[in-house]
Amino acid sequence: MHKLVFYIVLASMVMLPGQVLAAPTSFPHVIGNALLCLDQVDSTYFKKYLTDNFQTPYKIEGGAYWFKIDSFLYGGKITEIFINTESSEYVFLGAVMEGPQDSLKIKIEELTGIKFFQDQNIETLRSPPGSFLIPYGSGKSKIFCVKRRIYGMSTNNKMRIT
């Protein structure tokens, strides 16, 4: 009987690929600051952080590793986080959040004091530290920090996102 209980407990601890895990307590500080470009975006560090806390990426697409997330940040629900692959020309960290761009913009400003302003592209908002906020699909938004990789390092990128 004890062996049966042990195996049931062990089986319940094994997660299937693609299952969503809750975020660690460090998540708002670590991920939040990077998304707002208030901290360095080191793809090696973030890939390890996300893999250690949320398992392996569920897909690799568009030059990014994608992780399923079940957490809240800046008053909005995060459903996915993406980080650049090693071969990408850019270093970036981003998140897909439920809710329209305008609502997220207001929540971030209220909670952090960081404002987003309209970029050259009408749908793109950009903060002074360099993060972007764009509409994504129906009722969702993407927030991300992107930097251009130069000789294995990264620097603030002044590119226009379309």
Side-chain angles (χ1 to χ4, degrees):
M1 178 69 174
H2 288 16
K3 281 186 179 182
L4 177 61
V5 171
F6 171 76
Y7 288 119
I8 291 171
V9 170
L10 185 62
S12 69
M13 293 170 52
V14 176
M15 296 201 57
L16 300 173
Q19 270 189 300
V20 180
L21 296 175
T25 56
S26 61
F27 184 83
H29 179 73
V30 172
I31 298 297
N33 282 346
L35 287 173
L36 292 175
C37 293
L38 298 175
D39 207 346
Q40 288 188 346
V41 177
D42 178 342
S43 57
T44 303
Y45 169 80
F46 283 109
K47 183 180 178 200
K48 181 174 179 4
Y49 178 87
L50 292 167
T51 300
D52 288 351
N53 290 290
F54 301 103
Q55 296 192 324
T56 58
Y58 79 96
K59 70 179 177 179
I60 301 171
E61 182 178 281
Y65 297 105
W66 289 78
F67 296 83
K68 287 208 181 273
I69 305 295
D70 184 18
S71 187
F72 287 85
L73 188 63
Y74 307 124
K77 182 176 169 68
I78 293 181
T79 57
E80 297 172 290
I81 290 187
F82 52 96
I83 184 79
N84 66 283
T85 61
E86 295 80 5
S87 62
S88 175
E89 180 181 353
Y90 298 97
V91 176
F92 57 86
L93 174 74
V96 175
M97 299 185 72
E98 291 182 358
Q101 176 190 37
D102 290 341
S103 296
L104 187 55
K105 172 189 168 191
I106 291 166
K107 289 177 186 175
I108 291 171
E109 185 176 341
E110 287 173 353
L111 294 169
T112 69
I114 294 176
K115 297 181 182 205
F116 281 82
F117 302 96
Q118 190 172 5
D119 199 33
Q120 293 173 347
N121 179 332
I122 248 173
E123 291 188 338
T124 303
L125 300 177
R126 186 165 183 175
S127 71
S131 56
F132 293 91
L133 184 57
I134 62 172
Y136 180 68
S138 178
K140 292 186 178 186
S141 301
K142 271 187 184 177
I143 182 170
F144 54 94
C145 180
V146 61
K147 300 179 181 204
R148 187 172 187 107
R149 190 185 308 250
I150 299 177
Y151 303 110
M153 299 174 70
S154 64
T155 113
N156 278 338
N157 177 30
K158 303 297 182 199
M159 72 175 204
R160 200 176 112 213
I161 301 296
T162 57

